[in-house]
Amino acid sequence: MATNGTTEAKPNRFRVTPRMWVGLAIAVIALAFIFQNRDPVVTQLLVFRIEAAHWVTLLAIFLVGMGTSWLIFHRQK
């Protein structure tokens, strides 16, 4: 191929960044956690009794903690 002084555009190639690898690793670990914790568990709080998959219970607790943290540390400016 002869070039006439102009640079040819390189084809757009999909490039995997380290950030994408970390995200993929977290997703794989999360899926493994979900598949290993599918057994139902009973959660009892005062008079309430809830039966759900273990991972659902842990996710709910995590979300309640995130919401509580947001309410405590969110400041109006």
Side-chain angles (χ1 to χ4, degrees):
M1 253 198 228
T3 58
N4 57 4
T6 61
T7 58
E8 294 181 23
K10 293 182 180 180
N12 276 341
R13 291 186 179 176
F14 183 73
R15 190 173 151 182
V16 180
T17 64
R19 186 176 187 170
M20 293 170 110
W21 282 112
V22 170
L24 181 65
I26 291 171
V28 168
I29 291 170
L31 285 174
F33 179 81
I34 288 170
F35 287 127
Q36 290 181 348
N37 290 291
R38 292 180 297 150
D39 295 334
V41 293
V42 175
T43 305
Q44 195 166 353
L45 177 65
L46 300 174
V47 295
F48 301 105
R49 184 176 178 182
I50 301 168
E51 184 174 346
H54 194 195
W55 72 271
V56 172
T57 304
L58 293 174
L59 177 64
I61 292 170
F62 175 76
L63 292 175
V64 167
M66 290 288 291
T68 303
S69 175
W70 184 81
L71 288 172
I72 291 173
F73 295 110
H74 183 71
R75 297 182 180 164
Q76 297 289 341
K77 289 187 177 186

